[in-house]
Amino acid sequence: MSAPSTDRRARGAGAARGADALDRSGAAQPGAGLAVERVRWSVDGTLIVDGVDCTAPPGAVTGLLGPNGSGKSSLLRLVAGVTRPDDGTVRLGGTDLVSMARRPRARVVAFVEQDSSTDLPLTALDAVLLGRIPHRSLLAGDGADDLRLAQDALARVGMAAFAGRDLGSLSGGERQRVHMARALVQEPRLLLLDEPTNHLDIAAQLATMDLVRTLAADGVTVLAALHDLNLAAGACDHVVMLSGGRVVAAGPVEQVLVPDVVEAVYGVRCEVLRHPRTGRPVLVLG
Amino acid sequence: MTTTRAPALWLAGALLAAVASVVLAVTIGPTDLGAADVWRTVVDHAGLSGALGTEPLARLQDATIWQLRMPRVLTAAAVGAGLAVCGVVMQSLTRNPLADPYLLGLSSGASLGAVLVLVVGITALLPVAAFVGAVAALVGALALAGSMGAITPTRTVLAGLAISQLAAAATSFVIFWSATGDSYRSILSWLMGSVAGATWTSVAIAGGAVLVLGTLLASTGSILDAFTFGDTAAATLGIPVQRTRWTLLIGVALLTGALVSVSGSIGFVGLVLPHAVRMATGARHRLLLPLSALLGASFLVWADTAARTVFAPRELPVGIVTAAIGAPVFALLLWRGRRAPRGLG
Ligand SMILES: Nc1ncnc2c1ncn2[C@@H]1O[C@H](COP(=O)(O)OP(=O)(O)OP(=O)(O)O)[C@@H](O)[C@H]1O
Ligand SMILES: [Mg+2]
């Protein structure tokens, strides 16, 4: 997983290929990318997502931040179409995702859950191949193309050597990367990641964020729930800060990850420094 | 677990084994017959004796093959295939390694229906009563599961358990209240599962159900694959989770109901066989489903052959044989799976 950018695959037209998303963060065309408006969702009368408005520009990585229970996973599930919002709209490049049929939506949106496991005996390669289901007839088996894509995806997440391993025998971090590969073979235009760096060591965390940035540079819109504010500061173009099911701040990293917001949301004091090499913000807590 | 990329080979082998099992099993029994005799009988009954120039068999031998053994062996094959497919689908839909075709209380419902008519003495109605009982249990279980909200795997299991216990209690009550010597024996034999009384009607019911419903269920490989990581993952792979679960549960229940109506509830085939096949081929359903069906057919054919020959002239209900083989195999699978960190795999 050391050099994911050497493995870049060509994508459809409209992809702002080659340009670094960091420099384009303000240049997103309105209407493209993900637009969430007034989305509300409640369970048994308890409002969990409370009128969320936010956008994730195309070809950029948007971080979804917020304390435990702030509604990050719930919002991602709503955007993925797993649950239906009580109110509000979710659009991708102008297409309404909520009313879209499931199968076409599954060819456009991929979602890596916070936790997913199975008791079934399944190889890593087979697990990745599941991501091809929306792209082929439900009666068809894995084609040669599917196999090639799955092997490519495993290579991209640095798991090529594990293709034949039983999923149950992999470490948590290895499994996490297999799930990421499963999302990649779905060839999504919108990639939703719920704590993708969960279980990963620091090198793998950075490699995953690198991979995500490469995908974004290829034109994919990425919305990733993250806990590590510094990881978000280093790798995201935009961040959306949730608290109690509402958006409390959203925008470029430099505007959202400031001491006032962090203290208001987490109740933790912090200083913002500059990374000596990249110039990106670095948060020092306490 | 290794990934199999030669499913065609597996399937061809299993198909061959199933056909060979049927032919061989028909030749086995107190009257000594050979595969050639089976062939001649089939040709004769197909009206092709003249065309193919084969001699029909003597009346008695012909009757043994055509009236007794063929319907019985074919019914066993159909029931075995159907139960195995239903088991695979149930285990996937509920993500529960202990799920079997009877999970929704179907066998208990069918038993209640069957016991009621056996006690009253109208045996001719037995298949109908069993099927009605199974469908009633299905309706009860799904209504109960659905009344709790979306039908999740856990709710399905719990609702099935509740209906199952209820029907079992009612069955026990009926037996306790009114069964006497003879009817008690036939009830017990029915409860344990048996294909001893199979006729061409049984073949038509079980075989027809397996050909129609079994084939449909066996073609849901990709859909069941999508459930591997749970409902959310299935939804993001484009599967309408609730509609799919309802449809497949009803399909399984109708097929199981048809099978139970001809054979009673034969245990362990639908529970153990899917696990055994999964261990050999991995969990992808496109191979698992048809392969389980074919191996299920062979398995039940041989189990029933053992049931009628091992203690000949006495016969065991085949359910005793499948339990006697299935329980230790299940234990073995658990023991082998113990090295894997999670589940039975
Ligand atoms: N199906 C549900 N039923 C009841 N409450 C729910 C449901 N889903 C989420 N919640 C509640 O909604 C709140 C938000 O949950 P959510 O999982 O979206 O938080 P999160 O931001 O992802 O948290 P974490 O960082 O811990 O993953 C929590 O308080 C949770 O208990
Ligand atoms: Mg979460």
Side-chain angles (χ1 to χ4, degrees):
Chain A
M1 188 155 192
S2 49
S5 53
T6 59
D7 202 61
R8 215 173 273 188
R9 278 204 2 260
R11 283 193 176 262
R17 210 165 298 130
D20 184 8
L22 280 179
D23 304 331
R24 300 180 294 113
S25 54
Q29 321 92 291
L34 174 71
V36 174
E37 278 172 26
R38 304 182 327 278
V39 163
R40 282 156 34 94
W41 182 65
S42 54
V43 179
D44 300 332
T46 312
L47 208 51
I48 288 169
V49 174
D50 185 2
V52 164
D53 286 284
C54 65
T55 56
V61 179
T62 303
L64 187 58
L65 305 178
N68 291 133
S70 56
K72 302 183 294 296
S73 300
S74 304
L75 181 60
L76 287 177
R77 275 198 298 273
L78 288 163
V79 173
V82 175
T83 45
R84 274 187 89 87
D86 301 334
D87 196 14
T89 59
V90 179
R91 270 193 255 275
L92 180 67
T95 317
D96 182 13
L97 287 182
V98 176
S99 63
M100 198 173 176
R102 277 163 225 273
R103 255 170 84 78
R105 185 173 57 211
R107 291 184 209 121
V108 179
V109 184
F111 178 31
V112 179
E113 290 173 81
Q114 190 165 357
D115 290 302
S116 49
S117 65
T118 180
D119 286 339
L120 298 171
L122 198 71
T123 62
L125 183 63
D126 276 338
V128 174
L129 280 166
L130 299 183
R132 296 301 298 163
I133 290 175
H135 288 278
R136 56 171 200 231
S137 148
L138 286 176
L139 292 176
D142 308 321
D145 276 2
D146 299 327
L147 263 175
R148 193 173 39 72
L149 280 172
Q151 274 153 352
D152 279 2
L154 276 172
R156 284 192 102 178
V157 298
M159 289 292 291
F162 294 79
R165 277 276 293 280
D166 185 64
L167 208 59
S169 73
L170 298 182
S171 80
E174 290 162 349
R175 226 170 6 243
Q176 187 83 15
R177 290 190 251 173
V178 171
H179 289 309
M180 184 80 168
R182 177 160 56 88
L184 295 188
V185 299
Q186 246 175 293
E187 301 187 305
R189 282 200 285 132
L190 171 63
L191 178 60
L192 303 169
L193 303 168
D194 201 348
E195 301 188 24
T197 52
N198 218 350
H199 302 298
L200 298 186
D201 64 51
I202 45 171
Q205 288 187 13
L206 293 177
T208 296
M209 293 319 285
D210 266 359
L211 171 65
V212 168
R213 295 205 56 77
T214 314
L215 292 170
D218 284 351
V220 179
T221 303
V222 182
L223 180 62
L226 294 169
H227 269 305
D228 185 333
L229 299 186
N230 277 315
L231 200 63
C236 295
D237 306 300
H238 288 78
V239 287
V240 174
M241 182 70 83
L242 286 185
S243 181
R246 293 163 177 270
V247 176
V248 292
V253 170
E254 283 81 1
Q255 286 171 27
V256 177
L257 291 181
V258 293
D260 286 353
V261 172
V262 172
E263 179 154 13
V265 171
Y266 293 92
V268 173
R269 294 184 47 79
C270 75
E271 303 293 328
V272 178
L273 311 177
R274 289 280 151 186
H275 192 292
R277 188 163 43 76
T278 63
R280 311 277 300 172
V282 175
L283 279 69
V284 181
L285 304 174
Chain B
M1 229 40 59
T2 52
T3 308
T4 306
R5 299 271 166 229
L9 225 62
W10 278 97
L11 289 177
L15 182 64
L16 211 66
V19 173
S21 299
V22 168
V23 173
L24 274 179
V26 172
T27 67
I28 296 173
T31 319
D32 232 2
L33 296 160
D37 301 321
V38 179
W39 174 243
R40 281 161 67 189
T41 312
V42 172
V43 167
D44 184 31
H45 284 269
L48 294 173
S49 278
L52 294 176
T54 54
E55 283 282 300
L57 286 186
R59 283 269 303 272
L60 188 68
Q61 289 178 322
D62 179 86
T64 307
I65 291 181
W66 194 253
Q67 303 302 336
L68 295 176
R69 293 196 197 157
M70 287 276 276
R72 180 165 183 168
V73 170
L74 288 176
T75 303
V79 171
L83 287 179
V85 168
C86 289
V88 172
V89 176
M90 274 303 204
Q91 288 170 4
S92 305
L93 278 186
T94 60
R95 306 188 76 213
N96 186 332
L98 292 177
D100 76 356
Y102 308 125
L103 183 82
L104 289 174
L106 296 178
S107 65
S108 311
S111 302
L112 182 57
V115 166
L116 280 174
V117 292
L118 285 172
V119 162
V120 180
I122 345 173
T123 15
L125 278 182
L126 202 148
V128 180
F131 186 75
V132 170
V135 171
L138 159 74
V139 172
L142 287 184
L144 191 57
S147 72
M148 296 186 260
I151 44 171
T152 60
T154 316
R155 285 173 184 159
T156 311
V157 174
L158 291 178
L161 197 69
I163 295 294
S164 190
Q165 295 297 324
L166 188 69
T171 307
S172 304
F173 175 78
V174 174
I175 295 174
F176 178 75
W177 199 250
S178 42
T180 51
D182 259 6
S183 74
Y184 189 75
R185 199 184 172 83
S186 59
I187 286 171
L188 190 63
S189 138
W190 197 88
L191 288 181
M192 285 308 299
S194 167
V195 286
T199 59
W200 282 103
T201 312
S202 330
V203 178
I205 294 173
V210 166
L211 282 183
V212 178
L213 290 167
T215 310
L216 281 177
L217 289 172
S219 67
T220 59
S222 287
I223 295 174
L224 292 181
D225 275 353
F227 280 88
T228 303
F229 292 106
D231 288 10
T232 300
T236 58
L237 290 173
I239 306 295
V241 171
Q242 287 297 308
R243 182 147 43 92
T244 302
R245 185 166 283 131
W246 279 99
T247 312
L248 291 185
L249 284 179
I250 291 173
V252 165
L254 292 180
L255 176 51
T256 308
L259 301 178
V260 166
S261 76
V262 302
S263 70
S265 45
I266 298 172
F268 283 94
V269 182
L271 173 66
V272 180
L273 212 106
H275 285 301
V277 178
R278 224 182 257 120
M279 283 211 127
T281 67
R284 296 295 296 278
H285 290 87
R286 245 175 79 81
L287 177 58
L288 180 60
L289 284 162
L291 191 61
S292 298
L294 291 170
L295 294 178
S298 300
F299 175 74
L300 202 60
V301 163
W302 287 115
D304 182 54
T305 306
R308 66 187 163 89
T309 53
V310 170
F311 296 105
R314 286 194 68 163
E315 281 212 13
L316 295 175
V318 67
I320 294 184
V321 179
T322 57
I325 301 170
V329 169
F330 198 53
L332 186 74
L333 292 178
L334 279 171
W335 181 76
R336 277 194 47 180
R338 82 197 184 288
R339 275 164 292 147
R342 288 169 296 115
L344 274 167

